Amino acid sequence: MTEPHALIAVEMGIDTHQEPVVFLRADCEVCRAEGFNANTRLQLSLGERAIIATLNVVTEAVLPPGRVGFSHIAWQRLELKGGEAVTLSHAPVLHSMSAVRKKIYGNRLSDTEIGDIITDISLHRYSDMQIASFLTACVERLDTAEVIALTRAMVASGKRLHWPDRLQRMDKHCIGGVPGNRTTPIVVAIASAAGLIMPKTSSRAITSPSGTADTMEVLTRVHLELEEIQATVRQVNACLAWGGAVNLSPADDMLIRIEHVLDIDGTGQMVASVLSKKIAAGSTHALIDIPVGPTAKVRSQPQAEQMARLFDTVGQALALKVRCLITRGDQAVGFGVGPAQEARDVLAVLQNQADAPADLRERALFLASHLLNMAGRGSLAQTEVQARDILLSGQAWQQFHRICDAQGGLKEIPDAAFQRELGAAHSGTLLAMDNRRLARLAKLAGAPSSPAAGLRLHAKLGQALARGQPLLTLYADSRGELDYAAAYYARNQDFFMIGETP
Amino acid sequence: MTEPHALIAVEMGIDTHQEPVVFLRADCEVCRAEGFNANTRLQLSLGERAIIATLNVVTEAVLPPGRVGFSHIAWQRLELKGGEAVTLSHAPVLHSMSAVRKKIYGNRLSDTEIGDIITDISLHRYSDMQIASFLTACVERLDTAEVIALTRAMVASGKRLHWPDRLQRMDKHCIGGVPGNRTTPIVVAIASAAGLIMPKTSSRAITSPSGTADTMEVLTRVHLELEEIQATVRQVNACLAWGGAVNLSPADDMLIRIEHVLDIDGTGQMVASVLSKKIAAGSTHALIDIPVGPTAKVRSQPQAEQMARLFDTVGQALALKVRCLITRGDQAVGFGVGPAQEARDVLAVLQNQADAPADLRERALFLASHLLNMAGRGSLAQTEVQARDILLSGQAWQQFHRICDAQGGLKEIPDAAFQRELGAAHSGTLLAMDNRRLARLAKLAGAPSSPAAGLRLHAKLGQALARGQPLLTLYADSRGELDYAAAYYARNQDFFMIGETP
């Protein structure tokens, strides 16, 4: 037998996202000896540890001889410090890819096959191309048993939060697609003021101008460790934390990234994604908000009903009580879009300000009353009264303040450096708005990476407008972003449909 | 409007295969101003030219401020020389991805939709992930009309060879999966000696130990430009050139690379791939060899017949006369595997050497007689006699020599620096051999990048073997590769099935 081929590890300073990539010189003797080529999947080993990586060939100027370069994630996965002699070989056959091929050919996968795929993905053994292939093969081709297996495998891929068994843990989730629909902080405040336990972990924006974690970060600290989440919930019944810090269903995060790059969104995949996060967070009850509208994520009532049925069945199989609410998704909720602007709306509702957005308040009350009802606090008619009373009496605001204090204190909402009003192109009634482009506009202005950036609407559907009357105000932290967003708006005159009332 | 954001272009010395990648610093102001993140698809513009690329974020040490780094293919596609100020923006929406999504959801695609996808792929506008998603969605889900549209679009993606209309141009193709099945040089020599026109362009190995172009390169020059191909064919009726130099159906090459990485191989995709190359090469007739065997590409007779029907129908729609031959694929053909070893077999057959492999000779004669029959040279019984006569009389060898002379002269076949005999593990009859592992063994020895590397079989199925009797000889250009291949053989004792005759 020959000695294994080893090269000295070098960190390349290149971020290849979740796909480990290694870099070798074109004239590398190991490549030659091992028959590596541009399509080879490599195994890199150091002692007991091993990773699989994609190969990129580089010129001599990039890497000294006898070296192998690592991308960030490859470096991190192999836990390198620098200077180690790493062994290179052909990657072993990934058996779970046979199951992926089985699905590509339209066959059912067993629980074990799905489990093996998710394990390999969570260990970064799949290239982005392989994940893309798996996700594509699954779109609308997973049956209920497969979605259940997928959910279970995703939960098993990461950590779980544990809570005393006797407690009900309430959760809520919106499947998204409607800008400004920031009900979570209000719902959590109302429900936990009523004594419900809500260990709420939320995500940051992936493609939207703000996620609940981004909005909450404007108001308080959200990067809590596992122990802090548990301490906060013990102290004030609830938390409003970023889920990313606690490694819940990490395989799901990897799948979501590729789904967004490809802009595909299979129902089965999405249900597994949402429910795996809830189960990993230790929830016993989950309320799911499914907004339906012509430019929302779900476009029709039958599609929403089918999704709701799948949520119910999968939840049941995994001992999670699920209730789905199909809601209106034909326009932005509240006035603000972007972390700070949404935070202003949230505070306005919690503080019962006169100009608080009524639609955001009513949606939050609707969801909160359903949560109270699910928790056995009375009929819906009764819990509606309870929820409204908690909000209007100021108890929800006090409770929200307590949660923020427990997480590190309430912060001042930042102001944007630049702002500009944009007016209606002509007079008439506001008949429709495009949720997707509205989200894009807020992102061009800098949201969510500039928390103060975003936009504020001055009109709702059905409102009469005079020509030039302010439709929205843009907020940005740089003049460039402000101009860029304004130019995008100017190029998209059908952003808002203004016409005669039908 | 703001000024567009420009950065100075730098070549990074990194080969990212066919996917253009650009590198930006994490602290890059343009990223901030434009809202670029790790998932952004970028457009890079210089004057009239523009490319779409994937973004990799790098640390400050990798790239000076104010610079944007380019991978090889990105650099080449934008035709950069260095130092240019390149404009960065969000990539425009790729409309053809809507068609990909349509296919993902199981819907039929129109000719236009397929055409748009292939155009965008051939212009490197798709990421590898997007191509992977498209290919996955197509596996066993293309109907005949879609395969026809795909074939047509692939032809349109590259150059075409043009020939005088009155001439029949004969072509042949083997779908692969059987090591050593190097009939093409022999068939072309026989058919063109009989006066048929065969402008044969072949590919190099992608995953096999040798392609026809690799084997022919051991014997003569194969990198011919378009004009040289045409001149050679005018002079000697045929050529045996590498197809890669003439840009025939380049979109196909890009799809094939991703298919091999994913190890998926849809029938429709494969038929389109093969026929697009033939049509682009200007062929009027194509003979397709479909070997069937337990470790070949096609594993069953019904699968082969279904494939043959699709070849026929698609060929007909595109005015290409196709004939499919379903052949045995249960063991390697000839004795040699790897460029030089296969070239030895080819010459042995052409020169009617006493120890020439009979199976290779008979397969070549079978294919050549079908080609002559397709070209109207008589009944199959008659053309079988003609083909054998041309081979046995030495005319085929003289014709092969003429073709090589026209392409730059016949070369000496190189010898490998190292060789080692491997013997039978026990006595008995050779009942089966694994085509895939045999191919892998030859590749581990260094084929095809070392043309002299590969292996030579000393036994065929049905042969009685004594324990330790030589089964094969390994050839390599380095001791490391020889050892590595021998170790692989030692670990895989079920490589050859040796047992009692059933």
Side-chain angles (χ1 to χ4, degrees):
Chain A
M1 274 298 297
T2 45
E3 283 303 296
H5 298 289
L7 293 171
I8 303 299
V10 178
E11 148 74 293
M12 294 290 279
I14 297 176
D15 183 356
T16 55
H17 319 314
Q18 66 196 31
E19 178 171 357
V21 175
V22 295
F23 302 85
L24 289 172
R25 288 164 63 115
D27 61 1
C28 164
E29 275 184 37
V30 175
C31 291
R32 178 72 203 291
E34 296 275 340
F36 298 154
N37 63 46
N39 297 332
T40 307
R41 297 276 290 159
L42 291 181
Q43 176 163 289
L44 295 298
S45 313
L46 179 66
E48 297 284 288
R49 294 192 298 278
I51 62 164
I52 295 178
T54 295
L55 171 60
N56 275 187
V57 171
V58 299
T59 53
E60 305 83 68
V62 179
L63 203 63
R67 298 293 189 279
V68 50
F70 283 72
S71 75
H72 282 323
I73 184 74
W75 186 260
Q76 188 189 317
R77 295 289 308 170
L78 201 53
E79 300 173 34
L80 294 171
K81 291 182 178 58
E84 292 96 336
V86 168
T87 307
L88 285 79
S89 57
H90 285 271
V93 173
L94 259 189
H95 294 291
S96 69
M97 274 299 293
S98 309
V100 171
R101 278 188 287 277
K102 202 172 146 186
K103 178 48 74 186
I104 291 174
Y105 283 87
N107 301 304
R108 274 207 74 244
L109 298 185
S110 70
D111 292 8
T112 312
E113 286 169 329
I114 290 177
D116 290 346
I117 292 170
I118 295 300
T119 299
D120 281 339
I121 289 176
S122 67
L123 294 175
H124 296 257
R125 289 178 182 152
Y126 275 41
S127 67
D128 286 350
M129 272 192 274
Q130 288 170 322
I131 298 176
S133 181
F134 170 62
L135 286 170
T136 300
C138 288
V139 171
E140 307 310 317
R141 295 208 281 180
L142 293 178
D143 69 16
T144 306
E146 289 176 310
V147 176
I148 292 168
L150 186 59
T151 310
R152 201 169 268 140
M154 283 175 168
V155 172
S157 77
K159 286 192 185 167
R160 293 187 71 156
L161 299 189
H162 293 282
W163 306 97
D165 270 347
R166 62 190 161 73
L167 292 181
Q168 288 184 336
R169 281 88 61 188
M170 312 305 289
D171 211 331
K172 77 152 290 267
H173 184 85
C174 175
I175 65 151
V178 176
N181 191 13
R182 198 59 56 216
T183 55
T184 298
I186 306 167
V187 172
V188 168
I190 295 172
S192 61
L196 303 193
I197 305 297
M198 284 198 81
K200 187 82 198 84
T201 56
S202 304
S203 56
R204 293 190 190 281
I206 300 170
T207 59
S208 74
S210 186
T212 293
D214 298 307
T215 299
M216 278 308 301
E217 196 164 42
V218 168
L219 296 167
T220 189
R221 194 170 68 94
V222 296
H223 190 129
L224 306 185
E225 301 301 324
L226 208 60
E227 298 69 30
E228 292 180 291
I229 287 180
Q230 286 165 322
T232 305
V233 174
R234 266 197 305 274
Q235 193 185 334
V236 293
N237 288 348
C239 68
L240 281 156
W242 173 50
V246 283
N247 200 36
L248 304 176
S249 188
D252 176 50
D253 297 338
M254 300 177 67
L255 296 182
I256 281 180
R257 173 171 180 262
I258 308 290
E259 284 193 302
H260 280 288
V261 170
L262 295 175
D263 196 13
I264 57 174
D265 208 354
T267 308
Q269 183 64 44
M270 203 249 255
V271 168
S273 161
V274 170
L275 295 187
S276 70
K277 292 279 194 218
K278 305 298 162 215
I279 293 162
S283 306
T284 56
H285 295 68
L287 184 66
I288 313 287
D289 178 6
I290 306 178
V292 179
T295 57
K297 205 175 261 182
V298 174
R299 308 260 167 132
S300 74
Q301 185 71 17
Q303 197 191 342
E305 285 167 6
Q306 193 194 347
M307 187 181 282
R309 276 193 299 274
L310 190 58
F311 266 118
D312 281 344
T313 316
V314 176
Q316 227 161 55
L318 290 156
L320 177 71
K321 287 196 183 60
V322 173
R323 183 182 295 179
C324 292
L325 299 176
I326 299 174
T327 60
R328 270 181 67 178
D330 57 351
Q331 64 176 327
V333 174
F335 302 121
V337 179
Q341 294 305 324
E342 294 173 14
R344 283 186 206 289
D345 283 355
V346 166
L347 291 197
V349 169
L350 285 169
Q351 295 170 346
N352 296 302
Q353 291 174 16
D355 57 354
D359 58 345
L360 178 64
R361 181 182 60 232
E362 295 307 314
R363 284 182 87 100
L365 285 171
F366 179 65
L367 294 168
S369 58
H370 271 279
L371 269 181
L372 289 164
N373 173 255
M374 284 177 87
R377 297 303 181 93
S379 69
L380 258 184
Q382 293 170 317
T383 56
E384 269 172 40
V385 174
Q386 290 166 32
R388 196 171 296 271
D389 179 56
I390 290 169
L391 180 66
L392 298 185
S393 67
Q395 292 173 66
W397 164 237
Q398 289 163 22
Q399 169 65 7
F400 184 80
H401 210 309
R402 270 196 294 270
I403 295 170
C404 292
D405 282 345
Q407 294 189 187
L410 193 65
K411 298 198 285 193
E412 280 290 310
I413 299 177
D415 283 317
F418 299 91
Q419 64 181 72
R420 186 177 306 166
E421 254 179 20
L422 302 174
H426 54 90
S427 64
T429 304
L430 182 56
L431 299 177
M433 65 175 76
D434 186 323
N435 285 328
R436 294 190 175 225
R437 290 198 230 174
L438 206 61
R440 179 118 170 74
L441 187 65
K443 289 200 295 179
L444 290 175
S449 56
S450 294
L455 60 88
R456 207 154 184 79
L457 289 166
H458 303 305
K460 287 279 172 178
L461 296 194
Q463 186 166 326
L465 293 163
R467 181 163 183 273
Q469 184 179 333
L471 263 175
L472 60 86
T473 303
L474 283 177
Y475 297 89
D477 269 345
S478 74
R479 180 162 297 284
E481 286 166 301
L482 192 74
D483 288 347
Y484 197 60
Y488 176 76
Y489 178 80
R491 280 199 312 277
N492 287 270
Q493 285 300 340
D494 48 350
F495 227 106
F496 295 95
M497 202 173 106
I498 301 170
E500 295 305 308
T501 317
Chain B
M1 276 298 296
T2 45
E3 282 304 294
H5 298 289
L7 293 171
I8 304 299
V10 178
E11 149 71 295
M12 294 291 280
I14 298 176
D15 184 355
T16 55
H17 321 314
Q18 66 197 29
E19 178 170 359
V21 174
V22 295
F23 303 86
L24 289 172
R25 289 164 62 116
D27 61 0
C28 164
E29 276 186 37
V30 176
C31 291
R32 179 71 203 291
E34 296 275 340
F36 298 155
N37 63 48
N39 297 330
T40 306
R41 296 279 289 158
L42 290 182
Q43 176 163 289
L44 294 299
S45 314
L46 180 66
E48 297 285 286
R49 295 193 298 278
I51 61 164
I52 296 178
T54 296
L55 171 60
N56 275 186
V57 172
V58 299
T59 52
E60 304 85 67
V62 178
L63 203 63
R67 299 292 190 278
V68 51
F70 283 72
S71 75
H72 283 323
I73 184 74
W75 187 260
Q76 186 189 318
R77 296 287 310 168
L78 202 54
E79 301 173 32
L80 294 171
K81 294 184 174 56
E84 292 97 333
V86 167
T87 306
L88 286 79
S89 57
H90 285 272
V93 173
L94 260 188
H95 294 292
S96 70
M97 275 299 293
S98 309
V100 171
R101 278 186 288 276
K102 203 172 144 184
K103 178 47 75 187
I104 292 173
Y105 282 87
N107 301 304
R108 274 206 74 244
L109 298 186
S110 71
D111 293 7
T112 312
E113 286 169 330
I114 290 176
D116 290 345
I117 292 170
I118 296 300
T119 300
D120 281 339
I121 288 175
S122 67
L123 294 174
H124 296 256
R125 289 179 183 150
Y126 275 41
S127 68
D128 286 349
M129 270 193 273
Q130 288 171 322
I131 298 177
S133 180
F134 170 63
L135 286 170
T136 300
C138 287
V139 172
E140 307 310 317
R141 294 207 282 180
L142 293 178
D143 68 17
T144 307
E146 288 176 310
V147 176
I148 293 168
L150 185 59
T151 310
R152 203 169 266 140
M154 282 175 167
V155 172
S157 77
K159 286 193 187 167
R160 292 186 71 155
L161 299 188
H162 293 284
W163 307 96
D165 269 349
R166 61 190 163 74
L167 293 180
Q168 288 183 337
R169 280 90 60 188
M170 312 305 289
D171 212 332
K172 76 154 289 269
H173 184 85
C174 175
I175 65 151
V178 176
N181 191 13
R182 197 60 56 215
T183 55
T184 298
I186 307 168
V187 172
V188 168
I190 296 173
S192 60
L196 304 194
I197 306 296
M198 284 198 80
K200 187 82 198 84
T201 54
S202 304
S203 57
R204 294 189 191 281
I206 300 171
T207 60
S208 74
S210 186
T212 293
D214 298 308
T215 298
M216 278 307 303
E217 195 164 42
V218 168
L219 296 168
T220 188
R221 195 171 66 95
V222 295
H223 191 130
L224 306 185
E225 301 301 325
L226 207 59
E227 299 69 31
E228 293 180 290
I229 287 179
Q230 286 164 324
T232 304
V233 174
R234 266 197 306 275
Q235 193 187 333
V236 294
N237 288 349
C239 69
L240 282 156
W242 173 50
V246 283
N247 201 36
L248 304 176
S249 189
D252 176 50
D253 297 337
M254 300 176 67
L255 295 182
I256 281 180
R257 173 172 180 261
I258 308 291
E259 284 193 302
H260 281 289
V261 171
L262 294 175
D263 197 11
I264 58 173
D265 208 353
T267 308
Q269 183 64 43
M270 203 249 254
V271 167
S273 162
V274 170
L275 295 187
S276 70
K277 292 278 194 220
K278 305 298 162 215
I279 294 162
S283 307
T284 57
H285 296 67
L287 184 67
I288 313 287
D289 178 7
I290 306 178
V292 179
T295 56
K297 205 175 260 183
V298 174
R299 308 259 166 133
S300 76
Q301 185 72 16
Q303 197 191 342
E305 285 167 6
Q306 192 194 348
M307 187 181 282
R309 276 193 298 276
L310 189 58
F311 266 119
D312 282 344
T313 316
V314 176
Q316 229 161 54
L318 290 156
L320 178 72
K321 288 194 181 61
V322 173
R323 184 181 295 178
C324 292
L325 300 176
I326 298 174
T327 61
R328 272 183 64 178
D330 57 351
Q331 65 176 325
V333 174
F335 301 122
V337 179
Q341 295 304 326
E342 294 173 15
R344 286 187 204 287
D345 282 355
V346 166
L347 290 197
V349 169
L350 285 169
Q351 296 170 348
N352 297 301
Q353 291 174 17
D355 58 352
D359 58 345
L360 178 64
R361 181 181 61 231
E362 295 307 315
R363 284 182 87 100
L365 286 171
F366 179 64
L367 294 168
S369 58
H370 270 280
L371 269 181
L372 290 165
N373 173 254
M374 283 177 88
R377 298 301 182 93
S379 69
L380 257 184
Q382 294 170 319
T383 57
E384 270 173 38
V385 175
Q386 291 167 33
R388 195 171 297 271
D389 181 57
I390 290 169
L391 180 66
L392 298 185
S393 66
Q395 293 172 64
W397 164 236
Q398 288 162 23
Q399 170 64 6
F400 184 79
H401 210 309
R402 271 196 293 272
I403 295 170
C404 291
D405 282 344
Q407 292 189 188
L410 193 65
K411 298 197 284 194
E412 281 289 312
I413 300 177
D415 283 318
F418 298 91
Q419 64 181 72
R420 185 177 306 166
E421 254 178 19
L422 302 175
H426 54 90
S427 63
T429 304
L430 182 56
L431 298 176
M433 63 176 77
D434 186 323
N435 286 327
R436 296 190 174 225
R437 289 197 229 175
L438 207 59
R440 179 118 171 75
L441 187 65
K443 290 198 295 178
L444 289 176
S449 57
S450 294
L455 60 89
R456 205 155 185 80
L457 289 167
H458 304 305
K460 287 279 173 179
L461 296 194
Q463 188 168 325
L465 293 164
R467 182 162 182 274
Q469 184 179 333
L471 262 176
L472 59 86
T473 304
L474 283 177
Y475 297 90
D477 270 345
S478 74
R479 180 162 296 286
E481 285 165 302
L482 192 74
D483 288 346
Y484 197 61
Y488 176 76
Y489 178 80
R491 279 199 312 277
N492 287 269
Q493 285 300 340
D494 49 351
F495 226 106
F496 294 96
M497 203 172 104
I498 301 170
E500 295 304 309
T501 317

